[in-house]
Amino acid sequence: MFSASDHVHMSEALRLAARGLYTTQPNPRVGCVIAQADHVLGRGFHARAGEAHAEVLALRKAGDRARGATAYVTLEPCAHHGRTPPCAEALVRAGVVRVVAAIGDPFDRVAGRGFEILQAAGIAVEVGLMEAASHELNIGFFSRIQEVRPFVRVKLATTLDGRTAPADGTQQWITSEAARRDGHRWRARASAILTGVGTVLADDPRLNVRLDEPHVSPLRVIVDTQLRTPATARLLHDNGAPVLIVCADPADAQRRAALASAGAEIVVLPIAGAGIDLHALMSLLVQRQVNELHVEAGAKLAGALLHAGLLDELLLYQATNFLGACARPLIAGAMLPVASWKVIDERRVGPDRRLLLRASR
């Protein structure tokens, strides 16, 4: 059904969409190409929430030449008035005669209505070209809308013997500087970064994004059942993104006031088992429009997410050294039945090996 030119133009639209990888959340990453046969008339991609959508930018560049052309878009054109007018209506006004979309938009205010607007105007609509690539680019958005929870990715760094830190818990870099730079790119594409209070107390991390590229700083979330986070923690004083602390015991008013004065927002969630109800946490993050949740935590919280069935992807950096059998493990908790994980990417990052593994459900 799709020609060689169709594939070329949709590939370019996907490359354009990826330019918004660090900046569009909570919106999806979308690219658009307006073309006549092999000739490109206009290109655009969505950069930030509240700014023009990909289709509008591509139509501006195409101008009057868009009449009679084909629009290639990586996601169904929106059909509702949000911060910007509906893109489906903009395509109708521009006079395009065909729209090729990679995938439909599951958001309930769109969900086929964009295609209906186009078809009602006599525009030919074809869907499904490079669908998997578009879904992958927006895997967190689809998870939030369809699964009603963020897509959860846990980043872990390990030695060759599967250890993460010396037995005494002293802070020590395991992986190379190149791997740590790479990790910041994964932070940047997330809507939120999650850690546990144990990591805050042991390492005093900033959990910010240190990249030169434009990015939207992710929300930083601390799971802190008994509200032990010190008001002096670095992540509360680095002028970075907001900090959300979820707890079960709000502790004394003075401690809460000190954390609030330092800029933290505190939310009380129910207990499940030995800690915070992680499913309730996911519901809270959906309300905050979190698409991809990037987890950098110790073995306890990583293990709890795994046991709760909330872990979608492992981002695993493996260094070429050893720490010994007494050092700390990757995952804490009782043994689980053997889970099926699929390696979807494997590469070298500096001297280290990086594996991206996805849970088979």
Side-chain angles (χ1 to χ4, degrees):
M1 183 172 70
F2 298 109
S3 69
S5 287
D6 291 337
H7 282 82
V8 169
H9 295 318
M10 186 60 79
S11 293
E12 183 171 9
L14 285 163
R15 287 193 295 272
L16 288 164
R19 292 175 64 180
L21 189 66
Y22 303 153
T23 58
T24 64
Q25 59 260 3
N27 288 359
R29 299 131 183 168
V30 182
C32 179
V33 169
I34 309 294
Q36 284 271 20
D38 293 335
H39 184 52
V40 173
L41 307 173
R43 302 173 177 87
F45 70 95
H46 182 49
R48 290 180 182 268
E51 295 183 6
H53 287 190
E55 299 94 321
V56 171
L57 293 171
L59 288 170
R60 285 178 187 170
K61 293 178 182 177
D64 293 340
R65 297 175 299 165
R67 189 162 301 277
T70 295
Y72 297 87
V73 62
T74 59
L75 186 71
E76 177 181 358
C78 63
H80 63 293
H81 287 268
R83 298 187 192 181
T84 58
C87 292
E89 293 180 2
L91 290 165
V92 170
R93 288 194 300 271
V96 302
V97 296
R98 179 176 176 239
V99 171
V100 178
I103 195 169
D105 188 337
F107 182 50
D108 59 4
R109 296 182 68 187
V110 185
R113 292 180 179 85
F115 295 146
E116 290 172 1
I117 290 171
L118 298 171
Q119 290 169 328
I123 296 171
V125 175
E126 299 170 26
V127 185
L129 178 60
M130 302 186 182
E131 177 179 359
S134 179
H135 185 278
E136 188 69 25
L137 187 61
N138 288 300
I139 196 164
F141 175 75
F142 280 92
S143 180
R144 174 168 65 87
I145 302 300
Q146 296 178 320
E147 307 298 326
V148 199
R149 70 171 182 84
F151 184 85
V152 180
R153 179 182 298 112
V154 172
K155 178 248 183 182
L156 298 166
T158 177
T159 57
L160 288 172
D161 53 349
R163 302 294 165 168
T164 63
D168 61 5
T170 54
Q171 188 174 13
Q172 175 179 321
W173 292 119
I174 291 176
T175 54
S176 65
E177 183 179 347
R180 297 195 293 275
R181 284 198 306 269
D182 187 69
H184 279 272
R185 294 185 176 89
W186 290 92
R187 285 183 181 183
R189 66 173 287 165
S191 303
I193 302 172
L194 177 71
T195 195
V197 67
T199 298
V200 173
L201 294 173
D203 300 338
D204 196 16
R206 287 181 285 171
L207 293 182
N208 57 4
V209 176
R210 297 188 287 279
L211 290 178
D212 293 332
E213 296 98 315
H215 62 273
V216 174
S217 295
L219 171 71
R220 293 171 292 179
V221 184
I222 305 171
V223 175
D224 183 1
T225 306
Q226 297 178 337
L227 204 61
R228 295 185 294 146
T229 300
T232 55
R234 285 201 303 172
L235 55 76
L236 293 171
H237 299 279
D238 68 351
N239 298 316
V243 176
L244 171 67
I245 302 175
V246 294
C247 67
D249 179 3
D252 60 81
Q254 185 175 1
R255 188 183 307 174
R256 290 194 66 164
L259 288 168
S261 178
E265 178 186 0
I266 299 168
V267 174
V268 178
L269 291 180
I271 284 284
I276 293 291
D277 185 334
L278 294 175
H279 291 277
L281 173 58
M282 296 302 139
S283 296
L284 173 66
L285 294 178
V286 164
Q287 294 171 21
R288 304 296 175 99
Q289 295 186 298
V290 171
N291 294 332
E292 295 182 29
L293 177 63
H294 180 86
V295 182
E296 293 193 21
K300 184 177 178 181
L301 181 53
L305 288 164
L306 180 60
H307 281 260
L310 294 171
L311 206 165
D312 297 301
E313 204 165 76
L314 288 171
L315 177 65
L316 181 64
Y317 295 89
Q318 187 178 49
T320 54
N321 53 21
F322 297 90
L323 280 175
C326 294
R328 297 191 174 186
L330 275 175
I331 300 290
M335 180 67 69
L336 284 170
V338 176
S340 178
W341 293 85
K342 180 181 179 182
V343 177
I344 61 172
D345 185 73
E346 181 177 3
R347 64 184 67 188
R348 304 296 301 185
V349 180
D352 304 315
R353 179 187 185 210
R354 191 190 80 191
L355 290 169
L356 191 63
L357 304 100
R358 188 164 297 168
S360 298
R361 304 202 187 279

